[in-house]
């Protein structure tokens, strides 16, 4: 589940955490992100401050169900001359 720290004034993404293993330190705290930028937004130059509970937004992403159209058909010819069709999904199903 991605986590984004954004400037409350201009919406600039200060830090984005996309997946576990992205770096050695894990998810930074708001204070660490603020300190990493010197307490000032690089884009709009407003002072950064810790978020209140009202500032925290949780968006639930809906997964789209795989469609029958999301497949690839491969035609292979074996050494014996026999043709084989392999039908596989474009992306592994069930893995985000």
């Amino acid at each position: 589940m991605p986590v984004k720290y954004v400037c409350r004034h201009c919406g600039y993404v200060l830090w984005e955490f996309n997946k576990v293993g992205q770096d050695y330190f894990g998810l930074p705290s708001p204070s660490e992100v603020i300190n990493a930028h010197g307490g000032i937004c690089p884009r709009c130059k407003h002072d950064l401050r810790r978020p209140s509970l009202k500032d925290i937004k949780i968006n639930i992403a809906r997964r789209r169900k795989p469609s029958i159209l999301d497949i690839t058909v491969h035609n292979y010819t074996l050494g014996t001359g026999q043709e084989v069709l392999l039908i596989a999904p474009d992306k592994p199903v069930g893995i985000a």
Side-chain angles (χ1 to χ4, degrees):
M1 174 169 45
V3 176
K4 290 183 183 181
Y5 291 107
V6 297
C7 174
R8 74 179 72 239
H9 296 285
C10 68
Y12 179 74
V13 178
L14 299 164
W15 193 277
E16 187 170 9
F17 189 83
N18 291 315
K19 62 181 180 177
V20 175
Q22 176 176 321
D23 58 26
Y24 297 110
F25 304 109
L27 183 64
S29 69
S31 297
E32 291 171 330
V33 174
I34 291 169
N35 290 336
H37 292 283
I40 298 173
C41 175
R43 183 193 285 166
C44 69
K45 308 300 183 208
H46 275 90
D47 288 336
L48 299 173
R49 61 182 173 89
R50 294 179 51 104
S52 67
L53 289 178
K54 292 179 184 177
D55 295 326
I56 297 172
K57 295 179 185 171
I58 300 173
N59 296 327
I60 299 172
R62 304 272 183 217
R63 285 191 187 181
R64 136 181 122 75
K65 292 184 180 179
S67 168
I68 191 68
L69 300 176
D70 294 339
I71 60 171
T72 303
V73 178
H74 301 279
N75 187 6
Y76 293 105
T77 304
L78 301 177
T80 60
Q82 183 181 10
E83 288 189 5
V84 177
L85 289 179
L86 174 66
I87 301 173
D90 288 337
K91 295 180 182 176
V93 178
I95 299 175

